[in-house]
Amino acid sequence: MKRYSKSAIAFFLVTLITICLFMHFTLLILKYPLVGIEVEKVQGNWIIEKIYDNSWANKNNIETGSIVTLVNGIDPAKYHTVENFKMVEMADSITITGKNSEINTFAISYHDLDFQLIVYFVMPVLFAIFCFFLSLLLYYRKGAESSVQRLILFLLSIGLCYLSASASARADLTGRITTTITFSGSIVLFIHFLKAYFTGLQLEFIKTSSIKLMNLCYFIVISILLSSFFSFKLYVLTKDIELGFVCLLFIFLFMLFARFYYRYKNTDLSSLLKILWVMFFIAFSPFVILYAIPYIFLGKGFLSAEIAAGFLLVIPLAFVYLQLAEKLFDIEFLLGRLRYYSLLAFPFTLVLTIILAWSLKIRLNSGSFYFVLSILFTGSILFLYIKEYTDYKMKHHLFSQKNEFETNLQLYHFFQKAKHSTKVSDFISSLINEIQEVLSVKEVYYVEIQASEDEGIWKVSNNDYSPDLVGEIEKINWKKVKAGSLLEVRNGFCVVVGEDYQRKNIIFCGLKKYKTNLNIHERIWLETLAYFSSILLENFQQIEGLFQKIKNYKEKMLEVKENYPSWLSKLLFALSEKERANLSIDLHDAVLQDQLQLLREIESIYNKVTDPSLKEALSMVNERLLDNIHLIRETCNELRPPFLKESGLIESIQNLIDKIKLRSNFILHTELDHSIQKLDPEYELALYRVIQELLNNAIKHSEATDVSISLMKKKQCLMLSYSDNGIGIHMSKLNDSFKTMGISGIKERITCLGGRIKMESGPNSGFKVFIELGLGGDVSD
């Protein structure tokens, strides 16, 4: 025999009781319209004292001051709702003597009461059914959790409260008892749920002692309210007690939220707390501000209790979402949009509501006016949200490019940095860093997937990731997914940055900092970035492929000892210079800046230290660090000629010579023709590199004591000569290679520019170089 747990039996009993009450209240409301008459016995007659808005009596123009003669054909004094609550309710007919002594008998029905039927029957029934089915969903998904069980009780409680309020308005005793218990009880259960929910997150929302005190106050107040049903005079007095106690519970809950939010607002729970804060405000503020407070002080709410309580539906929706969702929506973005849209919507809705009130003769201080204002205001904000989402879906990554200056600026800066990349791996690294920085995501991976022989099945080829991530990605049929497309997976997002027929290049992003979803602007930015990155990535892949083919071609030419064309040399030198420039930038922007920061920190520590031996040690470290900084700067200057474009060739060479003189052991004689003005950048760079390599060779290898270098201009030719008295070199041992900037590199640079070069050397005979470079083409021209 199958045995059920205590929680399952309790849930079954609570569900059974709830269903029975649901059915009782539904049938009662459906059978009896809200008559809406309060009476008072004066000189033996039952005089109509008050008529409710939107009631049957109000619709049929029943007047206050009239006498109720019969209810369902019997004396009003003997009718149970009049006897117990001095209200005419749950009646089929009523006989009234008017002020002019005319006697009329009315049949009470829902005829011409469409609005009442919607507000007092359809809305409460739908609300209760919705809460009930949410409870079932939660129970079957996570019913074993303590916080979920309390949330289920809260859902059933507010569902019953909303439905029983309509029965209570009809003077049904069961409805009044249920409403009394669940009205404030729902808030108590809500606080119990929050305690259990945050306890599961290892956080304290409310102390146990405060919970016990709240429970005690609740039972005392409920005992007083229930005892009032035996005395009408006491019942009238306790209406304000009930509303006052509910307001105190709201204030208590507000204070708990405020304290909790202040304590944990700077943690990873920031987004969760903001969602709860917004949910709390939207759910409770309409009832407190537009009904409870005005009712206590003015005797009438701006909105009816039924309509104001409808906002409580936000609570179950929000918490069911929090319990079941694996990713949260971006509350920061939505709140920012809410402020912006509210500023746009409020003036429009206020003017439109005033115009409607004037045309329909609605009083500005009436509940109908505020109801129309709130509906129009909320509808306008929702319309703006829907419009933005629709624009995003229809226009995709090209959405709102005209006015999204901040997004465009971010993309511009990224592609300005990306243009310095020459390899696919460098570009992917830059792309990953940019996404990680802008979106504040913890994990970003580059994933390659390959189509298998089985149609619709894609496999991750660089399988270095967790099985869960690989499994999520391989579930997707990537065949029809285009570059720039953004797809959500369980633990993050995938965006396609490159593709061909059998392969896709994907960037996987983990969840954002607070486990929130991407907002619309982040989606736009990421899709646009991926779309344009796919174009760059394709170009980089083609360039790498071309470079590999050129390299293979060059090696083949060397094997057969054939001269390869000058265009190939130019291309390889250009790529080499590009790599040098990239390396120089990386050294300057990363390593050098870190060294400078470390130097400042050491100097700061040095000023605080009083121990002489420690000061001396720090001073030595400081000197070594200064040497390293100087070396890095020199390396950057050698990799990337400083101010060559700005200062010109001669001045840049002179700066190079001045630095060489400081670190060389030979006498350097120079002759530079200052009449040489601006040259073609390709020529300037080639001459600078040649002179740089010759002087570096003299320092490292020549063992020379005397070096001479001359650069002169004669007609349309540049004449460069170099000589030293070093150890020389066997000319037959020159290694023809592009991998270093050796002597062969000098020869190739000059040859590919159409120049002539002559080298003379031998063992212990020094080394001489003569170069002629035509400014208008080949020297022979």
Side-chain angles (χ1 to χ4, degrees):
M1 182 176 179
K2 187 175 181 180
R3 303 183 66 179
Y4 295 94
S5 64
K6 291 182 179 179
S7 62
I9 295 173
F11 180 78
F12 175 76
L13 291 175
V14 171
T15 303
L16 184 62
I17 294 171
T18 302
I19 292 173
C20 292
L21 291 174
F22 277 2
M23 293 177 63
H24 170 70
F25 297 142
T26 301
L27 293 173
L28 178 73
I29 299 167
L30 187 60
K31 181 179 180 181
Y32 298 112
L34 178 66
V35 179
I37 295 178
E38 286 189 8
V39 294
E40 186 69 33
K41 192 172 184 179
V42 180
Q43 297 179 355
N45 294 319
W46 290 95
I47 308 299
I48 298 176
E49 290 287 325
K50 184 179 180 180
I51 294 176
Y52 298 159
D53 293 336
N54 303 317
S55 64
W56 172 89
N58 180 266
K59 186 72 174 178
N60 286 272
N61 300 317
I62 305 298
E63 298 178 347
T64 56
S66 300
I67 300 173
V68 178
T69 307
L70 297 172
V71 179
N72 279 4
I74 63 175
D75 184 357
K78 297 179 181 180
Y79 196 72
H80 64 281
T81 62
V82 177
E83 181 182 6
N84 295 329
F85 302 107
K86 293 186 179 180
M87 297 175 63
V88 178
E89 293 293 346
M90 294 193 291
D92 297 318
S93 66
I94 182 172
T95 301
I96 295 176
T97 303
K99 294 179 181 179
N100 297 326
S101 299
E102 69 278 9
I103 300 174
N104 294 301
T105 300
F106 299 90
I108 300 173
S109 68
Y110 274 110
H111 181 67
D112 292 333
L113 293 178
D114 296 338
F115 182 77
Q116 184 188 132
L117 197 62
I118 292 173
V119 173
Y120 295 105
F121 175 71
V122 176
M123 287 178 55
V125 169
L126 290 179
F127 187 100
I129 292 173
F130 186 72
C131 290
F132 178 74
F133 279 105
L134 281 179
S135 301
L136 287 177
L137 175 64
L138 283 171
Y139 180 77
Y140 285 110
R141 290 287 293 273
K142 296 186 176 182
E145 297 181 13
S146 174
S147 62
V148 173
Q149 292 171 3
R150 286 165 173 78
L151 179 57
I152 290 172
L153 290 176
F154 168 71
L155 287 170
L156 295 176
S157 177
I158 62 170
L160 270 178
C161 182
Y162 199 5
L163 186 60
S164 65
S166 292
S168 176
R170 288 160 173 77
D172 177 63
L173 183 59
T174 305
R176 296 220 160 181
I177 293 173
T178 304
T179 304
T180 300
I181 294 173
T182 58
F183 189 27
S184 54
S186 297
I187 307 172
V188 172
L189 286 171
F190 184 52
I191 295 174
H192 274 276
F193 158 69
L194 291 175
K195 175 177 172 58
Y197 179 75
F198 287 112
T199 299
L201 299 175
Q202 308 300 318
L203 303 172
E204 183 185 59
F205 180 75
I206 182 174
K207 294 181 179 178
T208 305
S209 58
S210 299
I211 283 282
K212 291 180 179 178
L213 180 60
M214 178 189 67
N215 291 340
L216 178 62
C217 293
Y218 170 73
F219 285 117
I220 291 173
V221 171
I222 289 300
S223 300
I224 295 171
L225 294 175
L226 291 179
S227 65
S228 69
F229 292 119
F230 300 98
S231 171
F232 177 76
K233 292 182 179 180
L234 187 60
Y235 172 74
V236 172
L237 291 175
T238 54
K239 279 188 175 180
D240 290 340
I241 296 176
E242 183 176 17
L243 282 175
F245 181 60
V246 169
C247 288
L248 287 175
L249 286 174
F250 280 140
I251 294 171
F252 179 58
L253 180 57
F254 176 85
M255 292 173 61
L256 289 174
F257 259 116
R259 186 191 67 172
F260 189 75
Y261 178 75
Y262 180 78
R263 185 184 297 176
Y264 298 107
K265 65 179 180 179
N266 295 322
T267 65
D268 286 348
L269 294 172
S270 174
S271 291
L272 172 62
L273 295 178
K274 287 180 180 178
I275 291 174
L276 295 179
W277 189 257
V278 171
M279 173 271 300
F280 171 77
F281 180 80
I282 294 175
F284 292 121
S285 60
F287 185 85
V288 175
I289 298 172
L290 298 178
Y291 175 73
I293 294 176
Y295 186 89
I296 292 173
F297 293 101
L298 303 176
K300 183 179 181 181
F302 295 132
L303 286 180
S304 68
E306 290 77 12
I307 294 175
F311 287 91
L312 293 174
L313 190 62
V314 172
I315 296 175
L317 286 175
F319 276 103
V320 169
Y321 167 77
L322 291 177
Q323 289 285 352
L324 301 180
E326 295 177 347
K327 293 180 282 189
L328 303 181
F329 55 82
D330 191 343
I331 188 66
E332 298 278 359
F333 174 77
L334 291 179
L335 287 177
R337 271 292 180 261
L338 180 61
R339 288 191 293 268
Y340 174 61
Y341 290 154
S342 297
L343 288 174
L344 291 178
F346 185 74
F348 165 75
T349 53
L350 181 60
V351 172
L352 183 59
T353 306
I354 292 174
I355 293 173
L356 289 173
W358 176 77
S359 61
L360 299 175
K361 298 180 180 180
I362 300 174
R363 289 180 287 110
L364 296 183
N365 63 344
S366 66
S368 300
F369 175 83
Y370 290 103
F371 176 72
V372 173
L373 178 63
S374 60
I375 291 296
L376 288 176
F377 181 65
T378 305
S380 299
I381 293 175
L382 289 175
F383 170 77
L384 291 172
Y385 272 115
I386 293 170
K387 178 186 177 300
E388 182 174 34
Y389 183 77
T390 305
D391 286 342
Y392 161 71
K393 282 296 184 181
M394 293 181 66
K395 298 181 181 179
H396 205 51
H397 52 263
L398 298 179
F399 163 79
S400 195
Q401 289 294 297
K402 182 178 180 181
N403 296 314
E404 293 296 328
F405 299 114
E406 185 177 350
T407 301
N408 288 341
L409 190 61
Q410 288 176 339
L411 292 172
Y412 172 78
H413 287 317
F414 169 71
F415 288 116
Q416 284 296 308
K417 290 185 291 185
K419 71 180 184 180
H420 297 294
S421 302
T422 56
K423 296 181 179 178
V424 171
S425 58
D426 293 341
F427 178 71
I428 292 296
S429 297
S430 300
L431 188 59
I432 289 174
N433 291 336
E434 183 74 7
I435 293 173
Q436 206 157 16
E437 180 180 347
V438 173
L439 298 183
S440 298
V441 291
K442 296 180 179 179
E443 300 173 312
V444 182
Y445 303 124
Y446 171 69
V447 182
E448 292 182 357
I449 54 173
Q450 196 82 20
S452 63
E453 295 181 357
D454 298 328
E455 186 177 354
I457 298 178
W458 294 73
K459 295 292 183 182
V460 175
S461 55
N462 54 338
N463 195 351
D464 300 327
Y465 313 112
S466 66
D468 290 341
L469 173 59
V470 173
E472 284 290 318
I473 293 175
E474 290 182 347
K475 285 180 183 177
I476 301 171
N477 184 0
W478 295 92
K479 184 176 182 180
K480 296 182 180 180
V481 180
K482 302 297 181 184
S485 299
L486 179 66
L487 287 82
E488 289 192 30
V489 294
R490 186 178 60 183
N491 296 318
F493 324 92
C494 290
V495 62
V496 181
V497 296
E499 62 173 337
D500 58 29
Y501 181 70
Q502 294 291 332
R503 179 177 52 83
K504 302 281 184 181
N505 307 99
I506 299 167
I507 297 291
F508 168 80
C509 310
L511 295 175
K512 288 163 61 179
K513 188 175 180 180
Y514 301 120
K515 294 185 178 180
T516 56
N517 240 321
L518 294 179
N519 61 54
I520 288 180
H521 280 194
E522 289 169 338
R523 288 172 178 270
I524 294 164
W525 177 83
L526 188 56
E527 290 177 349
T528 306
L529 179 70
Y531 179 76
F532 289 110
S533 294
S534 67
I535 301 172
L536 281 178
L537 185 62
E538 183 179 356
N539 291 338
F540 285 139
Q541 289 170 339
Q542 291 181 354
I543 290 171
E544 278 197 352
L546 177 62
F547 182 75
Q548 185 62 42
K549 289 181 180 179
I550 291 173
K551 184 178 179 181
N552 296 337
Y553 173 73
K554 171 183 170 294
E555 292 174 352
K556 184 178 179 181
M557 291 295 100
L558 290 175
E559 288 176 2
V560 297
K561 297 183 179 181
E562 291 185 10
N563 293 328
Y564 34 87
S566 61
W567 64 265
L568 179 56
S569 298
K570 286 184 179 181
L571 177 60
L572 294 177
F573 279 124
L575 293 172
S576 175
E577 290 297 337
K578 189 73 173 177
E579 290 296 329
R580 285 167 174 258
N582 291 340
L583 181 57
S584 174
I585 292 171
D586 291 341
L587 285 173
H588 183 275
D589 293 346
V591 180
L592 181 57
Q593 301 308 313
D594 289 343
Q595 297 292 306
L596 290 171
Q597 179 62 31
L598 186 59
L599 178 64
R600 285 190 286 269
E601 292 176 3
I602 291 175
E603 289 175 347
S604 176
I605 296 171
Y606 181 84
N607 294 330
K608 297 177 182 177
V609 170
T610 56
D611 187 349
S613 60
L614 188 55
K615 269 185 172 288
E616 184 180 357
L618 286 172
S619 180
M620 293 178 62
V621 173
N622 192 68
E623 291 298 322
R624 292 175 62 185
L625 193 56
L626 284 171
D627 291 340
N628 287 339
I629 290 172
H630 177 72
L631 179 60
I632 293 172
R633 280 178 172 156
E634 288 298 313
T635 304
C636 290
N637 290 338
E638 289 184 6
L639 289 170
R640 187 182 185 189
F643 308 116
L644 182 59
K645 293 181 180 180
E646 295 81 359
S647 303
L649 177 63
I650 298 301
E651 187 174 341
S652 297
I653 293 175
Q654 186 62 57
N655 290 334
L656 174 64
I657 289 171
D658 292 340
K659 293 177 182 178
I660 293 293
K661 286 181 178 180
L662 293 175
R663 59 189 178 96
S664 63
N665 296 322
F666 49 74
I667 298 173
L668 180 57
H669 307 279
T670 60
E671 184 179 7
L672 300 177
D673 188 349
H674 289 275
S675 66
I676 299 174
Q677 299 297 323
K678 193 76 174 176
L679 301 177
D680 186 291
E682 192 176 19
Y683 282 43
E684 289 183 342
L685 183 60
L687 289 169
Y688 183 91
R689 288 297 188 203
V690 167
I691 293 173
Q692 183 185 44
E693 181 58 33
L694 288 171
L695 293 176
N696 285 336
N697 183 67
I699 294 173
K700 296 177 183 178
H701 307 296
S702 70
E703 300 180 14
T705 58
D706 193 90
V707 177
S708 298
I709 193 164
S710 169
L711 178 61
M712 307 297 292
K713 180 181 179 182
K714 292 183 180 180
K715 296 182 180 181
Q716 290 296 323
C717 288
L718 291 175
M719 314 292 291
L720 174 63
S721 63
Y722 167 88
S723 64
D724 66 45
N725 62 350
I727 60 175
I729 187 173
H730 285 286
M731 297 300 292
S732 60
K733 293 183 179 180
L734 289 177
N735 183 23
D736 190 9
S737 173
F738 280 104
K739 295 181 180 178
T740 61
M741 262 297 297
I743 301 302
S744 61
I746 294 174
K747 179 180 177 182
E748 290 302 326
R749 277 191 182 272
I750 299 302
T751 302
C752 71
L753 292 176
R756 294 177 181 175
I757 182 169
K758 181 180 178 183
M759 298 181 181
E760 296 179 0
S761 184
N764 300 316
S765 299
F767 183 62
K768 296 179 181 180
V769 179
F770 303 96
I771 294 173
E772 292 183 17
L773 189 60
L775 297 179
D778 291 351
V779 177
S780 58
D781 294 343

